[in-house]
């Protein structure tokens, strides 16, 4: 529905695999000192000297993680990079390189892949990461993107999931539930479009949440901010799979419990109004919606004064002893057990 | 046709994504000192100190790169690792870590993925690499495997594609054409099976070439051997995409020409006899067949005495000035231009 149907079509077969990689990556520039050799050999060569190296990887599959009927390819390329950088930032590390592999069916013309790579290039440029390798192959159906991100961090700055201690504060960046509600709006518009293709969707009232779904940003700024504030989290995790499942992961890894306060969960007004419109409970959305590329972390109580004035950070609870369990303290001041409902791709 | 139809079936949906990853990777052991943190956080954490880091990635797609009707899943897992390690060795580096991502449709039961991961585990154990991360997701159709391999190499040992100089000798490890002819035999048996499912294939005369296709080995031993012989190649490349296309890559990167001697190309007797049986020219197969995970490299003439007695290495030609071009010198002593025909997935 957003796609331009009149674009030029160049068949992928005309280029061959090597021609395709060269064509798609020819504008990519090296920005990181640690990149000794990028694309063009059997492997990239990197140099991190006394830094530690972090490595993370994610697959995005058409029909499972994205729907091209409302996801422009440029946004998809951008998002594929963000998904991975978010995991690097969750280690309190600096993202330095990525590799991009795609499997793509012949139904995509070269021009579609150029759009995808334009999004990848924009993301790489903006976040200062070098694209140092990848693979391009055909698929029987649809598009699949596999990204591996590499980052660097000094030995004393790396933050794992397992360092949370009782009495630490539980903090989250940004606001939650936007990406999920943006998806609901896009899915509704898709149904409307199917019935009447001439009907132009009015997405104006949903700009923020649609952007949270289509063009998320990884929180590089939060890693920088915490350094500036001289706050080193005791544990940190990316919450793209949903706040409650990630709180559970963090607490299980750290062998602690927690109390999460419903009234402290940060929600954008557009999330609240759209939840009302769709008659969905906003807390459920914030807890289980997923795809909010925000960071969840724990800090020592003594660091609270350093972060309390910051509009990017919300204290949403605190860590307890493991035996106390994991609970949501509701607005009505009742305690209910925290359960994960996250994405369950295989049950779709 | 090789698959056991009576196996137990556990639906992937019963485990959920996190359960699945944990289940499949629970036996994986850390062997490398450089692995500080493997699976279990947002990213793996590695430490290479004064070594350089090499990174390479490859996608394997069902129906494009493999056919499960004759490729047992355990072999496929093993091969997916080899494909990537081969690129690490082509940098004269030591492979240290891999990440494995899979997209898989619901038609695969858990037991099938266990087979796949058993092959991955065997490969990782035998080649001393740690599985430090990955992603597991559903696909709409078929199986796709994305592997990223990481290795380490000291600054003065890394070998690129672009260092070949005129008069250097062109050397290849092992023998060529086996993987391609193994594939021809398997494809023929598949057709026979379709006509008569009770007909048991007799693969005995083709053991070597079928194994070259189904269970290739990356040439870790060649990197070790070259170190022992104190030979540092001037350029090196993995030739899994076919000898001629990779000679062209190496020479183009190095800005040199070459003369390749047809009568020096190493062929296993089983390749020769199977080529005769199929009425295919064995030189064409060796040049363009691909999937032989061998290393092609150039050495200075003065290093020739160090390698000449070695049964694993064949000198197949020498490097010339760029202006001289790239040629195959045939058995009839005529010179013909060397052209790449390699794999052209998108034209299939």
């Amino acid at each position: 529905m957003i796609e331009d149907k009149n674009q030029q079509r160049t068949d992928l077969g005309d280029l061959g695999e090597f021609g395709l990689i060269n064509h798609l990556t020819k504008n990519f520039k090296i920005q990181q000192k640690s990149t000794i050799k990028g694309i063009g050999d059997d492997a990239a060569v990197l140099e991190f000297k006394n830094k530690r190296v972090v490595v993370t990887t994610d697959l995005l599959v058409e029909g499972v993680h994205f729907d091209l009927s409302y996801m422009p390819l440029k946004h998809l390329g951008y998002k594929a990079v963000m998904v991975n950088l978010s995991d690097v930032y969750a280690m309190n590390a600096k993202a330095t390189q990525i590799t991009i592999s795609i499997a793509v069916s012949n139904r995509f013309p070269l021009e579609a892949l150029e759009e995808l790579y334009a999004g990848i290039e924009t993301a790489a440029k903006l976040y200062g990461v070098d694209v140092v390798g990848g693979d391009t192959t055909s698929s029987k159906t649809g598009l699949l993107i596999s990204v591996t991100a590499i980052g660097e961090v000094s030995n004393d700055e790396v933050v794992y999931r397992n360092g949370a201690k009782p009495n630490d504060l539980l903090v989250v960046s940004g606001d939650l539930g936007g990406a999920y509600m943006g998806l609901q709006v896009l899915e509704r518009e898709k149904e409307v479009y199917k019935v009447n293709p001439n009907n132009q969707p009015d997405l104006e009232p949903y700009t923020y949440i649609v952007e949270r779904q289509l063009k998320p940003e990884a929180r590089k700024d939060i890693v920088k901010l915490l350094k500036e504030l001289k706050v080193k989290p005791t544990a940190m995790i990316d919450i793209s799979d949903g706040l409650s499942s990630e709180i559970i992961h963090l607490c299980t890894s750290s062998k602690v419990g927690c109390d999460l306060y419903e009234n402290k969960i940060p929600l954008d007004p557009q999330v609240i109004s759209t939840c009302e419109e769709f008659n969905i409970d906003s807390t459920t959305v914030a807890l289980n919606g997923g795809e909010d590329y925000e960071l969840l972390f724990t800090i020592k109580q003594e660091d609270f004064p350093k972060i309390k004035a910051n509009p990017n950070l919300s204290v949403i609870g605190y860590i307890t002893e493991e035996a106390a369990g994991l609970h949501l303290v509701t607005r009505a001041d009742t305690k209910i057990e925290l359960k994960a409902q996250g994405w369950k791709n295989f049950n779709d």
Side-chain angles (χ1 to χ4, degrees), chain A:
Chain A
M1 76 217 219
I2 302 168
E3 214 178 343
D4 175 9
K5 307 290 185 202
N6 300 316
Q7 59 188 352
Q8 201 190 332
R9 279 193 66 95
T10 308
D11 270 3
L12 294 181
D14 297 348
L15 282 127
E17 188 184 337
F18 302 113
L20 183 59
I21 293 174
N22 288 339
H23 180 83
L24 294 172
T25 60
K26 66 178 187 291
N27 296 324
F28 286 53
K29 287 187 182 60
I30 298 297
Q31 306 174 73
Q32 290 288 344
K33 259 193 286 185
S34 56
T35 307
I36 308 296
K37 175 98 182 179
I39 291 167
D41 215 297
D42 295 278
V45 180
L46 315 174
E47 186 171 65
F48 295 97
K49 293 183 176 157
N50 50 3
K51 297 272 188 171
R52 287 191 172 177
V53 179
V54 302
V55 180
T56 178
T57 190
D58 269 296
L59 275 183
L60 296 180
V61 182
E62 185 179 355
V64 178
H65 300 104
F66 58 88
D67 182 333
L68 290 175
S69 62
Y70 49 73
M71 182 61 140
L73 281 158
K74 197 169 175 175
H75 286 63
L76 177 62
Y78 192 91
K79 185 169 175 173
V81 178
M82 290 308 122
V83 169
N84 281 274
L85 297 191
S86 186
D87 284 322
V88 172
Y89 300 138
M91 303 304 288
N92 205 31
K94 173 184 161 189
T96 48
Q97 286 89 11
I98 52 173
T99 66
I100 306 272
S101 296
I102 58 168
V104 60
S105 78
N106 275 322
R107 82 172 152 95
F108 291 89
L110 176 63
E111 288 73 16
L113 295 191
E114 286 173 344
E115 277 295 295
L116 181 74
Y117 273 75
I120 291 166
E121 194 189 344
T122 303
K125 205 170 165 183
L126 206 57
Y127 283 77
V129 297
D130 297 339
V131 179
V132 296
D135 194 10
T136 313
T137 187
S138 58
S139 81
K140 289 289 162 186
T141 55
L143 175 64
L144 182 145
I145 309 172
S146 175
V147 180
T148 297
I150 294 166
E152 58 178 44
V153 61
S154 68
N155 196 350
D156 55 343
E157 281 181 342
V158 61
V159 175
Y160 295 103
R161 294 178 179 179
N162 62 4
K165 297 272 178 280
N167 298 319
D168 283 356
L169 299 176
L170 191 63
V171 186
V172 72
S173 66
D175 52 67
L176 304 179
Y180 181 82
M181 289 317 295
L183 183 63
Q184 303 316 305
V185 169
L186 289 165
E187 292 277 2
R188 183 178 66 182
E189 295 306 321
K190 183 182 173 182
E191 294 308 312
V192 171
Y193 176 84
K194 277 185 195 164
V195 177
N196 181 2
N198 293 318
N199 190 50
Q200 282 298 310
D202 178 18
L203 296 177
E204 184 62 34
Y206 311 105
T207 316
Y208 176 70
I209 58 174
V210 166
E211 185 158 322
R212 292 287 284 176
Q213 170 60 225
L214 296 183
K215 193 170 171 288
E217 303 290 344
R219 301 307 304 257
K220 182 185 183 181
D221 60 326
I222 298 295
V223 174
K224 187 166 164 273
L225 175 71
L226 290 172
K227 268 193 190 74
E228 286 165 3
L229 296 175
K230 295 191 169 46
V231 175
K232 188 191 168 191
T234 53
M236 186 152 61
I237 194 167
D238 154 78
I239 55 156
S240 56
D241 289 318
L243 178 64
S244 55
S245 83
E246 300 312 326
I247 289 180
I248 293 170
H249 273 140
L250 186 147
C251 289
T252 309
S253 298
S254 298
K255 298 191 170 62
V256 294
C258 84
D259 280 353
L260 166 68
Y261 288 82
E262 185 180 16
N263 63 356
K264 300 289 184 189
I265 297 172
L267 299 172
D268 186 85
Q270 213 170 79
V271 171
I272 297 170
S273 62
T274 314
C275 280
E276 281 167 4
E277 187 186 335
F278 278 75
N279 201 19
I280 308 179
D281 176 53
S282 60
T283 300
T284 305
V285 167
L287 286 175
N288 304 309
E291 286 209 272
D292 298 313
Y293 292 90
E294 300 294 344
L295 297 174
L296 175 78
F297 55 93
T298 50
I299 60 168
K300 290 177 186 160
Q301 294 238 3
E302 65 203 56
D303 284 331
F304 176 63
K306 298 181 192 167
I307 67 145
K308 74 172 176 183
N310 198 292
N312 286 299
L313 302 175
S314 306
V315 177
I316 55 173
Y318 63 91
I319 299 300
T320 59
E321 296 291 342
E322 188 176 18
L326 283 76
H327 294 96
L328 175 72
V329 182
T330 67
R331 288 195 187 87
D333 210 23
T334 55
K335 268 189 158 182
I336 57 173
E337 199 194 335
L338 201 63
K339 284 185 181 158
Q341 289 175 17
W343 278 18
K344 290 199 185 65
N345 287 329
F346 290 110
N347 285 332
D348 281 354

